[in-house]
């Protein structure tokens, strides 16, 4: 049997991925690809990365069995991969540590990042402080207003937050602006992309850094349960936590992989961010992938209660896993995610991020359809402290 | 011979350099575009680059992004833009028109359909800025089947091996981005340009247009001494943006006439 080995040399996952950027960025991406290839196989680099993940991020993250919630749902056992316990409270830091180490080796003293809710921005600002780098974070001005706490957090860490006033003033516009900065300052600047999107080699590189999630899970499952899970469930915005869990399992064909997108107010309402469920292929932000777009090929604004899933594209590897049938993609609404958020708080004493709550919402639907001795491993990609205001607001409470 | 080749051929015989003028289709409103195209042509633009607005113009600076947003407010799509070109062609059969934009609107229409309809409308060349040679073989195949010229970008950071790759696909002319950055950026490095251009022109065997950062007559003139064509975009779009509606055509005419004179004085 042929082992999964995508992307190909030119960064394609079947028809998806690739390098769809203006000529002005080609040389920078060539340099990044060459350098990453070199350090990908460099024992010293990998050892330093592993050491940072252990002592700075706090890995390995445990797998926790949600016994009371599973019993309440009355079906398969739900296990949680606790990425919420990482330093800074989410899986994002795995990737920013990896890219910052690479930036340092490439001699780039300045890092830039885009952010939506601010989680990736905080993770980038964190590693910039850790390694003594200048950090600029681009954030849509709408998001700056909605996420004031994270903006302050980034400033405390020494980053400069630049509000982006163009387009819809959200994540996709922040990404456009970060790309423009990179084109202009490429000599001294490393662009830390936060998800498995963008031009090659980003989708591959971010996946490789996040794959620690799935590699750990495989070992932990064997040690603690003597077997691998029947299904993996993870939320998908750009898709970095999902691919981090899925990737080491792609060749294990008897493990189901399920990505859960944000259905917002419901897919028929048009107010959602369910790119794989309801979009169609196109080209945005450097790669070919599924997109939420109108008939003219213009990118549409999306909606999700979770800012981290509120993105009109998705990583190209997910597009390929969907088309090839290896992974399944479903969607959960704002209300379903909120219900799962509250359930986990009450049954397990764990406050999940609203992003991760989408994965939990699907696990809650799936578990009762499965046998009691079956195992569902959910990637609990982040903690919910950042979402207090949103959850309170949804319950009609103001502080 | 394509309309673009013919234009460069005739300019060469007259020992003149080309002025390429860019506007965004549908900016500030759809009805303004065809009159502006005629005005550009009358004021001395040899080739018109018509921007196809996109919601996420990653390679453009704020000026052109705002022009895209103005056009998109009117819902301007690729088919509307082809209708504008068709309208322009009713009275102008001579000035080449190049569509410049991003891949996704073209892909949404379908490469094959787009190429056929663009040809039918009277388009001469197509530049999709986020579709480098590595990703454009299918698009180029459909453009070539219709006799449309695929236009590509080169930048100061393009290594020699890539220049060969671009040369293989490019027709009509090549667009040399004169600085690192986005459209409309402030300055341009003339000495870098004079070092690179002669070699590039030989290697490519195609006329080279230089753009990104040309904001006044003096720069246009200096660039015209080195290149086959001078491309002006953001400066014209800026003029459209700050002119009162009834003054747009006159102000753009005055600006482009000035640039024409500067290019001819080179």
């Amino acid at each position: 049997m042929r082992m999964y080995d995508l992307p190909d040399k030119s960064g394609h996952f079947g028809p998806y991925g690739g390098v769809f950027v203006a000529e002005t960025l080609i040389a920078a991406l060539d340099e990044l690809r060459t350098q990453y290839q070199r350090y990908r196989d460099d024992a010293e680099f990998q050892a330093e990365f592993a050491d940072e993940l252990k002592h700075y991020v706090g890995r390995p993250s445990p797998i926790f069995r949600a016994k009371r919630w599973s019993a309440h749902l009355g079906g398969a056992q739900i296990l949680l991969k606790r990425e919420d316990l990482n330093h800074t409270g989410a899986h994002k830091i795995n990737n920013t540590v990896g890219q910052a180490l690479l930036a340092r080796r490439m001699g780039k003293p300045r890092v830039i990042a885009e952010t939506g809710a601010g989680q990736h921005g905080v993770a980038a600002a964190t590693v910039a402080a850790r390694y003594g780098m200048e950090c600029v974070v681009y954030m849509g001005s709408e998001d700056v207003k909605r996420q004031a706490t994270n903006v302050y957090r980034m400033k405390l860490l020494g980053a400069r937050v630049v509000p982006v006033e163009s387009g819809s003033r959200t994540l996709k516009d922040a990404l456009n602006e970060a790309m423009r900065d990179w084109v202009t300052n490429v000599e001294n600047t490393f662009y830390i992309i936060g998800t498995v999107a963008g031009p090659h080699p980003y989708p591959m590189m971010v996946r490789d850094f996040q794959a620690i999630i799935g590699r750990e899970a495989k070992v932990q499952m064997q040690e603690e349960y003597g077997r691998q899970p029947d299904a993996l469930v993870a939320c998908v915005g750009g898709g970095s936590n999902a691919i981090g869990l899925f990737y080491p399992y792609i060749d294990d064909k008897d493990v189901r992989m399920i990505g859960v997108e944000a259905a917002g107010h419901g897919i028929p309402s048009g107010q959602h961010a369910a790119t794989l469920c309801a979009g169609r292929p196109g080209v945005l932000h450097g790669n070919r992938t599924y997109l939420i777009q109108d008939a003219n090929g213009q990118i549409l604004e999306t909606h999700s209660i979770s800012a981290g899933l509120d993105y009109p594209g998705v990583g190209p590897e997910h597009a390929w896993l969907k088309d090839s049938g290896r992974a399944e993609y479903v969607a959960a609404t704002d209300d379903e995610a909120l219900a799962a958020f509250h359930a986990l708080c009450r049954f397990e004493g764990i406050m999940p991020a609203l992003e991760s709550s989408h994965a939990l919402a699907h696990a809650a639907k799936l578990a009762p359809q499965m046998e009691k001795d079956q195992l569902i491993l959910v990637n609990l990609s982040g903690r919910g402290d950042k979402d207090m205001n949103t959850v309170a607001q949804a319950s009609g409470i103001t502080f | 011979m394509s309309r673009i080749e013919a234009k460069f051929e005739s300019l060469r015989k007259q020992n003149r350099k080309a002025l390429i003028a860019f506007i965004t289709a549908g900016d500030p409103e759809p009805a303004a575009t065809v009159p502006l195209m005629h005005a550009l042509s009358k004021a001395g633009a040899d080739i018109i680059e018509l921007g196809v607005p996109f919601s996420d113009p990653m390679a453009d600076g704020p000026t052109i992004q705002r022009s895209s947003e103005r056009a998109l407010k009117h819902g301007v799509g690729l088919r509307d833009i082809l209708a504008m070109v068709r309208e322009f062609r009713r009275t102008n059969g001579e000035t080449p028109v190049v569509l410049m934009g991003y891949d996704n609107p073209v892909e949404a229409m379908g490469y094959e359909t787009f190429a056929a309809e663009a040809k039918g409308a009277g388009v001469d060349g197509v530049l999709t800025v986020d579709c480098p040679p590595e990703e454009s073989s299918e698009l180029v195949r459909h453009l070539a089947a219709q006799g449309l010229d695929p236009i590509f970008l080169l930048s100061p950071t393009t290594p020699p091996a890539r220049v060969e790759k671009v040369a293989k696909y490019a027709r009509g002319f090549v667009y040399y981005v004169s600085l690192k950055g986005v459209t409309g950026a402030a300055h341009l490095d003339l000495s870098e340009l004079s070092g690179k251009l002669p070699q590039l022109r030989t290697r490519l065997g195609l006329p080279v247009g230089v753009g990104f950062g040309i904001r006044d007559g003096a720069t246009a003139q200096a660039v015209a001494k080195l290149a086959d064509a001078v491309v002006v975009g953001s400066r014209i779009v800026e003029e459209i943006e700050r002119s009162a509606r009834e003054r747009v055509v006159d102000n753009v005419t005055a600006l482009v006439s000035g640039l024409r004179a500067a290019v001819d004085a080179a």
Side-chain angles (χ1 to χ4, degrees):
Chain A
M1 194 180 72
R2 188 158 166 262
M3 298 284 281
Y4 182 82
D5 61 355
L6 297 178
D8 64 17
K9 275 206 170 64
S10 56
H12 292 92
F13 303 88
Y16 303 110
V19 184
F20 288 87
V21 297
E23 184 64 29
T24 41
L25 269 178
I26 293 283
L29 286 165
D30 279 349
E31 183 197 9
L32 178 62
R33 199 188 59 237
T34 310
Q35 294 293 320
Y36 177 59
Q37 281 296 356
R38 177 180 158 199
Y39 291 112
R40 198 182 186 205
D41 305 322
D42 181 85
E44 205 181 306
F45 178 84
Q46 292 302 336
E48 187 182 2
F49 181 48
D51 191 68
E52 289 291 285
L53 290 180
K54 184 177 175 189
H55 296 101
Y56 188 62
V57 176
R59 305 202 69 92
S61 66
I63 288 179
F64 173 78
R65 181 166 165 190
K67 277 190 201 148
R68 290 190 64 231
W69 193 40
S70 302
H72 170 78
L73 291 167
Q77 298 303 302
I78 297 177
L79 313 176
L80 307 175
K81 179 66 172 158
R82 298 290 307 273
E83 291 300 298
D84 60 318
L85 294 177
N86 292 340
H87 179 42
T88 71
H91 73 290
K92 291 286 184 192
I93 190 92
N94 301 328
N95 167 52
T96 57
V97 166
Q99 290 197 47
L101 291 178
L102 183 60
R104 208 159 59 154
R105 278 179 170 64
M106 288 170 68
K108 312 274 184 185
R110 178 176 182 267
V111 296
I112 57 171
E114 84 294 339
T115 198
Q119 290 312 103
H120 172 59
V122 168
T126 298
V127 297
R130 161 87 182 91
Y131 302 118
M133 295 161 148
E134 183 191 345
C135 181
V136 177
V137 178
Y138 290 92
M139 190 169 182
S141 59
E142 278 300 312
D143 291 331
V144 169
K145 270 186 265 169
R146 289 190 290 204
Q147 307 286 340
T149 318
N150 269 342
V151 173
Y152 184 56
R153 209 167 271 161
M154 288 183 264
K155 287 179 180 166
L156 287 175
L157 291 160
R160 188 160 66 88
V161 179
V162 179
V164 176
E165 302 288 350
S166 55
S168 57
R169 302 178 173 83
T170 57
L171 176 60
K172 72 179 181 71
D173 309 287
L175 212 150
N176 292 332
E177 206 58 36
M179 281 281 181
R180 294 183 185 119
D181 178 315
W182 198 34
V183 172
T184 313
N185 302 300
V186 67
E187 263 129 40
N188 72 344
T189 298
F190 188 103
Y191 179 17
I192 302 184
I193 292 187
T195 191
V196 284
H200 181 63
Y202 281 103
M204 173 180 81
M205 180 170 71
V206 177
R207 174 198 73 193
D208 292 349
F209 290 140
Q210 291 293 1
I212 183 69
I213 302 172
R215 283 201 308 274
E216 274 177 15
K218 270 190 146 175
V219 174
Q220 292 165 322
M221 287 302 300
Q222 204 55 50
E223 280 175 8
E224 294 168 29
Y225 297 86
R227 53 175 291 216
Q228 295 302 324
D230 298 282
L232 308 173
V233 180
C235 65
V236 176
S240 70
N241 90 80
I243 213 78
L245 178 64
F246 292 176
Y247 178 61
Y249 282 98
I250 289 178
D251 285 324
D252 300 0
K253 296 280 156 59
D254 44 0
V255 178
R256 280 176 75 186
M257 308 195 307
I258 305 163
V260 187
E261 297 190 308
H265 296 314
I267 291 175
S269 75
Q271 293 190 302
H272 62 83
T275 311
L276 289 165
C277 294
R280 57 174 212 283
V283 169
L284 178 70
H285 292 154
N287 67 101
R288 178 176 279 120
T289 186
Y290 280 75
L291 301 173
I292 295 180
Q293 55 179 320
D294 69 12
N296 284 329
Q298 306 296 343
I299 308 307
L300 294 172
E301 285 180 35
T302 50
H303 165 80
S304 169
I305 192 166
S306 137
L309 302 183
D310 203 355
Y311 178 62
V314 64
E317 192 160 18
H318 286 295
W320 170 246
L321 290 173
K322 173 191 160 80
D323 283 13
S324 69
R326 177 59 190 97
E328 307 154 54
Y329 294 89
V330 297
T333 63
D334 288 354
D335 290 344
E336 290 168 333
L338 279 167
F341 173 93
H342 290 296
L344 205 71
C345 286
R346 301 301 277 273
F347 281 103
E348 303 293 346
I350 295 172
M351 210 168 274
L354 283 174
E355 289 78 11
S356 325
S357 298
H358 287 73
L360 294 167
H362 186 71
K365 286 182 218 169
L366 193 62
Q369 303 163 19
M370 292 168 66
E371 301 301 325
K372 284 201 165 59
D373 61 350
Q374 289 190 294
L375 304 173
I376 300 173
L377 179 60
V378 178
N379 198 7
L380 191 61
S381 55
R383 66 178 180 227
D385 309 43
K386 70 184 174 62
D387 296 315
M388 288 303 92
N389 283 321
T390 312
V391 173
Q393 211 170 23
S395 314
I397 295 163
T398 43
F399 297 124
Chain B
M1 191 185 288
S2 79
R3 210 181 259 130
I4 296 174
E5 286 174 316
K7 173 61 79 177
F8 277 105
E9 182 68 28
S10 108
L11 285 167
R12 197 158 35 237
K13 281 185 187 144
Q14 301 166 50
N15 205 20
R16 292 172 75 207
K17 298 299 176 70
L19 175 63
I20 303 180
F22 172 98
I23 57 171
T24 296
D27 171 38
E29 57 195 352
T33 301
V34 175
L36 268 172
M37 290 171 78
H38 286 301
L40 292 173
S41 171
K42 283 192 191 114
D46 298 298
I47 296 174
I48 294 171
E49 268 186 4
L50 203 50
V52 178
F54 182 47
S55 50
D56 294 78
M58 226 165 65
D60 284 296
T63 303
I64 289 180
Q65 173 153 31
R66 282 197 303 274
S67 75
S68 291
E69 287 173 10
R70 286 192 293 272
L72 289 176
K73 274 207 184 98
H74 295 281
V76 173
L78 199 41
R79 284 176 204 275
D80 303 313
I81 294 165
L82 294 179
M84 293 170 188
V85 177
R86 191 173 283 115
E87 172 71 19
F88 174 73
R89 280 276 172 259
R90 284 174 52 193
T91 50
N92 185 323
E94 187 251 353
T95 307
V97 174
V98 172
L99 295 188
M100 179 171 179
Y102 293 79
D103 181 75
N104 204 51
V106 178
E107 190 160 317
M109 189 169 174
Y111 288 158
E112 192 173 4
T113 311
F114 164 74
E117 295 194 13
K119 183 66 183 182
V123 170
D124 303 289
V126 176
L127 168 51
T128 44
V129 295
D130 57 347
C131 212
E134 289 82 355
E135 302 288 357
S136 57
S137 58
E138 200 192 331
L139 175 61
V140 167
R141 188 163 58 79
H142 289 297
L143 294 178
Q146 296 290 344
L148 292 166
D149 289 334
I151 314 291
F152 284 96
L153 298 174
L154 284 179
S155 93
T157 55
T158 306
R162 273 183 69 76
V163 176
E164 309 290 342
K165 204 177 279 178
V166 171
K168 210 174 85 187
Y169 283 116
R171 297 285 179 277
F173 68 97
V174 167
Y175 188 149
Y176 185 78
V177 177
S178 51
L179 47 78
K180 298 185 194 84
V182 292
T183 54
H187 52 82
L188 148 155
D189 187 346
L190 281 172
S191 64
E192 201 261 8
L193 207 56
S194 63
K196 282 238 166 114
L197 275 190
Q199 212 187 341
L200 264 187
R201 290 163 76 182
T202 320
R203 215 183 273 266
L204 287 163
L206 282 175
V208 177
V210 173
F212 279 38
I214 298 169
R215 306 191 49 79
D216 52 39
T219 321
Q221 187 174 343
V223 170
K225 286 197 173 106
L226 303 166
D228 303 287
V230 177
V231 191
V232 183
S234 294
R235 180 64 192 88
I236 297 174
V237 170
E238 207 173 275
E239 197 64 28
I240 293 171
E241 184 171 47
R242 64 187 184 203
S243 297
R245 284 291 156 88
E246 66 280 4
R247 295 284 308 157
V248 167
V249 166
D250 287 348
N251 291 354
V252 167
T253 299
L255 172 70
V256 174
S257 305
L259 292 166
R260 173 81 260 169
V263 167
D264 285 344

